Amino acid sequence: MLTRVLKMGLKKPEKAKLQEAAMILKNGGLVAFPTETVYGLGANALNPKAVKKIFQAKGRPADNPLIIHIASMKELKPLVTHIPSSARKLMEKFWPGPLTLLFKKSAIVPKIATGGLSTVAVRMPAHKVACALIKAAKMPIAAPSANLSGTPSPTDASHVLHDFDGKIDMILDGGKTHIGLESTVIDMMTSPPTILRPGKISRGQIEKVIGGIAMHTHTKLQPDEIVKVKSPGMKYRHYAPKAKVILVDGSKSEKKKKINALITHYKKQGKKVAVMTLDKNHGYSADAVKYMGATHASIARRLFSTLRDLDHRSIDIILIETVPEKGLGAAIMNRLRRAAEE
Ligand code: TXA
Ligand code: MG
């Protein structure tokens, strides 16, 4: 299969290109597209055969459900049985935007899209190309992040092409994504609601709108615990580069000491070592050193592309400085911990 890449105008996505992409979706094919978080790998959410292709292309376990993307509020109702009032408040405040909400699914949502669950995750992206595509296709679009299962999410069309060249019909290229980490996922059916995956919309922002909520803390699960997992995506290896990831915490000077010791240790073993640092004037003598940025926003934007980049350089060990876990920092640390899991 030839994977076509179409460059999209961001202010005014070209109608003819959107029509081509919409036709592919109508015919049950796969189109990757940019959102404000990461690129998604889209299919007609209401066509089980099309949705199955997403799982096959990604190598995604069948019990890991997908997020369904919509472009207007009226598209939500047919997908769900009930909209709680707290969900309404969150949608009013944060949609379109990087917030995914869980609802009880209606009969029209195929089970394959929800990994066999009776719930469905829905979000309205805030990206011109994503919205225009959903509108042109006139259908809800099921889309996980457009990466091979387990690898870092794609924040640029080139990442999608790297993972899926020859395996999907089309990529809409909207350049680099703005946020760089996936949406916040929140289960609205628990009392209080529970954050299943932290993201750009922070716990504090959500609590300002609907009051106290719970945070699902991911810890490494034992096989016999897997049945109890709330969000099936949590149990699989995630965001992982090929290199071994080691997180380094402590004060600035403690981190420096630890990192220098680890560089020496692994170099002695003949390993290629990289460092992802918060210190612009680091002075580390590793094979690659990447400055992560001065703000949480810029760290988030670069995180996945840096991991991918280091993989292309055949790095064996990546030492990464931890960030304070406030606001977006919680989402960054969530991804880093998952990337560091064996
Ligand atoms: O920002 C995003 O959310 C991106 C863009 C493309 O929209 N999408 C994304 O999808 O990150 P994905 O499939 O990579 O992650 C979806 C997460 C998974 O952890 C999955 O287990 C969880 O949401 N999820 C989806 N439906 C669920 C459900 N019904 N119940 C519990 N968790 C669900
Ligand atoms: Mg993903």
Side-chain angles (χ1 to χ4, degrees):
M1 174 191 296
L2 174 74
T3 301
R4 294 178 58 210
V5 182
L6 303 188
K7 270 240 176 285
M8 300 302 291
L10 289 184
K11 287 208 179 99
K12 228 178 153 212
E14 299 82 350
K15 280 225 168 80
K17 294 178 183 174
L18 291 168
Q19 279 313 324
E20 282 192 59
M23 272 315 287
I24 291 172
L25 292 171
K26 280 179 191 151
N27 291 329
L30 300 184
V31 175
F33 59 96
T35 80
E36 76 278 32
T37 57
V38 301
Y39 275 74
L41 181 58
N44 179 354
L46 305 182
N47 175 348
K49 277 193 188 137
V51 172
K52 192 170 180 194
K53 288 184 191 166
I54 294 179
F55 285 90
Q56 287 168 338
K58 279 186 60 104
R60 183 173 175 111
D63 64 353
N64 193 2
L66 308 177
I67 295 173
I68 298 187
H69 297 68
I70 58 174
S72 69
M73 278 310 290
K74 64 176 190 296
E75 291 166 69
L76 176 63
K77 225 174 154 190
L79 302 174
V80 306
T81 60
H82 170 65
I83 304 174
S85 63
S86 52
R88 274 187 204 285
K89 286 184 195 155
L90 291 178
M91 292 186 290
E92 253 166 49
K93 176 84 184 164
F94 298 114
W95 277 12
L99 181 70
T100 297
L101 301 174
L102 252 61
F103 300 92
K104 280 263 174 251
K105 82 172 198 69
S106 72
I108 69 160
V109 178
K111 278 255 164 161
I112 185 168
T114 64
L117 297 175
S118 59
T119 54
V120 61
V122 187
R123 110 171 172 93
M124 189 190 291
H127 192 290
K128 281 247 170 86
V129 174
C131 292
L133 177 65
I134 299 165
K135 283 186 181 146
K138 299 190 178 68
M139 63 176 71
I141 297 181
S145 50
N147 52 281
L148 292 173
S149 198
T151 65
S153 295
T155 54
D156 193 80
S158 63
H159 303 159
V160 183
L161 191 66
H162 176 270
D163 284 11
F164 293 111
D165 195 8
K167 294 189 195 147
I168 62 175
D169 300 282
M170 184 175 277
I171 301 170
L172 299 183
D173 180 352
K176 286 190 174 42
T177 60
H178 179 65
I179 295 171
L181 296 183
E182 309 86 341
S183 62
T184 307
V185 178
I186 178 160
D187 183 350
M188 298 309 296
M189 285 158 300
T190 57
S191 182
T194 313
I195 292 188
L196 299 180
R197 178 175 72 183
K200 168 82 176 166
I201 310 280
S202 68
R203 178 182 190 163
Q205 281 175 289
I206 293 169
E207 289 188 329
K208 262 193 200 146
V209 181
I210 58 167
I213 56 168
M215 180 82 108
H216 187 103
T217 45
H218 169 82
T219 46
K220 196 163 184 203
L221 296 158
Q222 300 306 312
D224 61 335
E225 289 180 299
I226 283 175
V227 280
K228 292 184 235 148
V229 171
K230 250 288 79 121
S231 185
M234 291 176 190
K235 72 183 188 220
Y236 298 110
R237 186 149 195 249
H238 255 77
Y239 318 116
K242 291 189 205 91
K244 177 184 168 74
V245 171
I246 299 174
L247 304 184
V248 181
D249 59 12
S251 67
K252 196 173 164 183
S253 60
E254 283 165 351
K255 280 175 174 169
K256 206 163 197 126
K257 245 196 209 153
K258 287 185 195 173
I259 287 173
N260 278 321
L262 284 164
I263 292 174
T264 310
H265 173 79
Y266 283 110
K267 284 259 171 209
K268 263 191 205 147
Q269 297 180 6
K271 305 270 194 217
K272 270 184 100 172
V273 184
V275 182
M276 288 166 61
T277 180
L278 301 170
D279 182 2
K280 235 181 168 167
N281 309 308
H282 49 78
Y284 294 128
S285 61
D287 296 286
V289 183
K290 296 277 191 179
Y291 173 60
M292 293 165 76
T295 62
H296 278 162
S298 57
I299 294 168
R301 205 172 293 136
R302 288 181 208 166
L303 185 64
F304 289 139
S305 62
T306 305
L307 293 174
R308 279 179 178 261
D309 184 41
L310 292 174
D311 259 352
H312 295 153
R313 299 198 204 180
S314 311
I315 294 290
D316 300 301
I317 309 283
I318 308 175
L319 309 173
I320 309 182
E321 286 190 36
T322 60
V323 304
E325 240 163 302
K326 264 175 66 187
L328 186 55
I332 294 169
M333 283 308 299
N334 167 272
R335 307 308 190 271
L336 287 180
R337 285 204 190 94
R338 305 296 310 276
E341 279 172 7
E342 299 271 333

